[in-house]
Amino acid sequence: MKVDVYDFELPEHLIAQVPLQDRTASRLLTLNKQTGEVRHQHFGEILDYLHEGDTLILNDTRVIPARLFGIKRDTGAKAEVLLLTQLEGDRWEALVKPGKKLKKGAVIDFGGELEAVIEEESDMGMRVLSFRYEGIFQEILDRLGEMPLPPYIKEKLDDRERYQTVYAKHEGSAAAPTAGLHFTKELLDQIAAKGVQVGFVTLHVGLGTFRPMSVETVEEHVMHEEFYSLSAETAQLLNETKARGGRIIAVGTTSARTLETVAREAKGQLIEASSGWTQIFIYPGHEFGLVDAMVTNFHLPKSTLVMLVSALAGREHIMDAYQQAVAEKYRFFSFGDAMFIY
């Protein structure tokens, strides 16, 4: 299957640069995965599509201020570091710029209270860094780091919390699970009042969010590993939902990938608590073990995320829905509008 069949024309002005003041004010495109029917609504109307007995699964990862700006000690040249995965202790996997200048052994200074030594290097700007500092690393990161907004967002973010979900809890992500940005505590209360249960998984979003596909066929692509965790409480909730015939609705592709990872491990048996690393790649042909419906944003052309939603709704339905979204001037990507696939 060619990657190019997931391409589409997207005018640059449709890429949302700033979040809306009201999280629930986004538009909502609903897509019936069986018929392909599309409707244009507003996000608050998601309530009309959630039913008693359904279970909503949210990713409660929290974004860290993972982008650091420093200087290369021996030359004074500017250096940028994007933290991706904590390996152990003060060693991190990271993306660096400029990759050609930051080789093994290089030292980067960040404002006098933090320095990093490059221990290992690999392709596409990937490095393993070891940090040196006095005090508490997270507090230093909060002072020096910036939120790691995707490269297509050019505007500065005034409020860091606007790039966090209202239920963000476990720190470790290099990007937000953006479908969750549309929810407020009030909306979640309304959802619960309808008899819809809410559960949480954790998947720390890593390099896969930033890495473009560099292959010609879908099957050649290899996903980067990301850490996930599913609690015993959520496992029980999933089992009970399936037993009573309710729908499991993933909020975001990260929640969907976590759910499908544990479904694959269960092999048709009851879901159990688990954690570990996943590099699951979901594209058309995937048989969903848990996910029945999904809340998601509008994704990049030729991205693994477009392929994931195509696996759930069918490529033709997704491409048609995206064409309508462009025509109707929906806002795309992280701070953009939402889609509900049911």
Side-chain angles (χ1 to χ4, degrees), residues 296-340:
T296 185
N297 279 18
F298 292 93
H299 305 294
L300 284 162
K302 299 197 292 186
S303 67
T304 62
L305 305 182
V306 167
M307 295 168 193
L308 189 156
V309 296
S310 295
L312 184 63
R315 189 188 70 84
E316 290 185 2
H317 289 166
I318 289 294
M319 290 295 110
D320 175 65
Y322 270 56
Q323 190 173 16
Q324 291 193 47
V326 169
E328 295 290 330
K329 295 181 170 55
Y330 275 71
R331 301 164 72 247
F332 273 68
F333 306 156
S334 298
F335 289 139
D337 295 316
M339 171 187 277
F340 182 58

Side-chain angles (χ1 to χ4, degrees), residues 210-281:
F210 300 94
R211 175 175 281 171
M213 296 188 76
S214 56
V215 294
E216 291 187 5
T217 61
V218 173
E219 294 82 359
E220 291 177 87
H221 182 70
V222 178
M223 294 287 284
H224 194 76
E225 285 190 329
E226 294 168 312
F227 182 80
Y228 77 92
S229 178
L230 182 137
S231 67
E233 181 181 7
T234 299
Q236 181 179 348
L237 187 58
L238 294 170
N239 291 326
E240 290 174 350
T241 303
K242 284 298 186 184
R244 67 171 175 262
R247 295 181 302 170
I248 293 174
I249 301 166
V251 174
T253 56
T254 59
S255 295
R257 291 180 65 237
T258 305
L259 292 170
E260 292 305 298
T261 295
V262 298
R264 180 178 287 181
E265 290 179 352
K267 297 178 180 177
Q269 303 301 308
L270 290 176
I271 303 299
E272 296 181 355
S274 65
S275 64
W277 297 85
T278 181
Q279 56 182 162
I280 191 170
F281 180 18

Side-chain angles (χ1 to χ4, degrees), residues 146-204:
E146 294 185 6
M147 294 304 276
L149 296 178
Y152 47 76
I153 294 179
K154 311 300 182 185
E155 296 289 330
K156 186 174 177 63
L157 183 65
D158 293 329
D159 178 10
R160 278 188 181 187
E161 286 303 305
R162 201 55 188 80
Y163 194 56
Q164 305 278 15
T165 63
V166 298
Y167 46 81
K169 185 177 181 181
H170 301 291
E171 291 188 330
S173 267
T178 53
L181 296 179
H182 301 285
F183 290 84
T184 61
K185 291 178 181 176
E186 292 75 19
L187 180 58
L188 288 170
D189 288 342
Q190 291 176 295
I191 288 169
K194 285 199 70 171
V196 177
Q197 293 185 281
V198 176
F200 296 93
V201 296
T202 303
L203 183 133
H204 293 320

